Amino acid sequence: MTVEQDGRQVSVKVALAGAADSGKLAMLRAIAARFGFATVREHPVGAVRVHRVEWTEPQLLPDGRFLNVAIHSLTGPVEYNAAEELLLRGVAGIVFVVDVDPAKFQTTWDSLMRLSDNTRRNGYDLHSVALAIQYHRADLYPDFDPQKLDRRLGVPPGMIPRFVSSSRQPDAEGLAFDSVLAQLKAKIGQAA
C-alpha cells in the first residue's frame, strides 16, 4: 500500500479497474456526485481516457490529519498494457468493476489477470492493497448469481468485499468504494 504522508495530511490513490465498458466511468461520476464539490476531470492519452476525481475528506482522521483522496480510472480501448500499469502505480486501494454480462466474461478474466500482473510489476500484490469487487448491471441479467461468478473468477468466499450494483445505480450507493476507503482509514490508523 502506498500512502503519502506529510505531517498534517495523508494522500491515497484508489484505482477503478476492470475491462473496458464495465461501468467504471459511471461509477466514478456517481462517487463524484456524492461529494458535491468533487468534479470528474478527463485527460486523453491516445484512444484511452484517464478520469480522476480528487477531494479532501471533510472529517479529520482520528490523529487530526487531513485525508486527501484521488480516484483514477481508464476508459476506452486500452491498446497498451503500460496505461493500466501506470493506473496502478502508487495505488493504495482498488475497486475491480465487473460487468456481469456472461458474454463479457473473457474480457473480465483478461482484465483480472492484467490487474494481478500489473500489481506485481509495481512491487506489490492484490493482498497488500485495500480491495473490493463490484458486480455491475446485475438488473439486466435476472439469472445472475454472485456466488457463481465468485467461483468462476476464483474469488475466495468472504476474503474480498463484494458488492452488486444495477445499471440505474452504478456505484451501489458507494458501497464498494466506501469499503475500500474504510480499509484504507483502518490501515492508516494502525500505522499511526
Side-chain angles (χ1 to χ4, degrees):
M1 171 174 90
T2 302
V3 176
E4 292 183 25
Q5 302 183 41
D6 112 16
R8 296 203 18 92
Q9 61 184 357
V10 179
S11 297
V12 294
K13 176 182 174 184
V14 176
L16 298 183
D21 195 34
S22 60
K24 297 178 300 234
L25 181 56
M27 184 178 175
L28 187 66
R29 286 183 175 142
I31 292 168
R34 287 178 39 217
F35 299 91
F37 49 86
T39 58
V40 177
R41 290 185 172 88
E42 178 179 315
H43 307 281
V45 180
V48 175
R49 301 262 185 245
V50 179
H51 294 92
R52 68 183 167 93
V53 173
E54 298 176 5
W55 71 88
T56 300
E57 282 284 283
Q59 274 91 25
L60 295 176
L61 294 168
D63 63 7
R65 293 182 293 172
F66 292 97
L67 177 62
N68 301 314
V69 179
I71 309 173
H72 297 253
S73 181
L74 302 176
T75 58
V78 178
E79 297 172 15
Y80 303 102
N81 186 55
E84 287 184 344
E85 190 174 342
L86 285 172
L87 172 73
L88 297 171
R89 184 160 295 148
V91 76
I94 298 170
V95 177
F96 186 67
V97 184
V98 176
D99 185 327
V100 302
D101 179 350
K104 294 184 177 181
F105 179 78
Q106 188 60 51
T107 57
T108 295
W109 179 257
D110 294 344
S111 180
L112 182 59
M113 293 300 101
R114 278 193 316 276
L115 176 65
S116 180
D117 289 344
N118 286 330
T119 53
R120 272 186 264 132
R121 276 194 196 99
N122 278 291
Y124 54 92
D125 64 32
L126 289 175
H127 300 291
S128 66
V129 296
L131 181 63
I133 296 175
Q134 180 159 319
Y135 293 152
H136 184 49
R137 299 181 181 131
D139 57 316
L140 303 179
Y141 302 93
D143 295 333
F144 171 66
D145 179 353
Q147 288 81 15
K148 233 186 231 184
L149 190 51
D150 286 347
R151 286 189 299 275
R152 200 156 175 218
L153 289 172
V155 176
M159 292 283 295
I160 301 169
R162 187 242 310 134
F163 303 92
V164 178
S165 63
S166 70
S167 57
R168 292 178 307 281
Q169 195 167 23
D171 76 331
E173 297 178 356
L175 295 175
F177 173 74
D178 289 351
S179 170
V180 167
L181 193 57
Q183 291 172 54
L184 289 172
K185 287 178 179 179
K187 288 180 180 184
I188 292 166
Q190 291 170 354

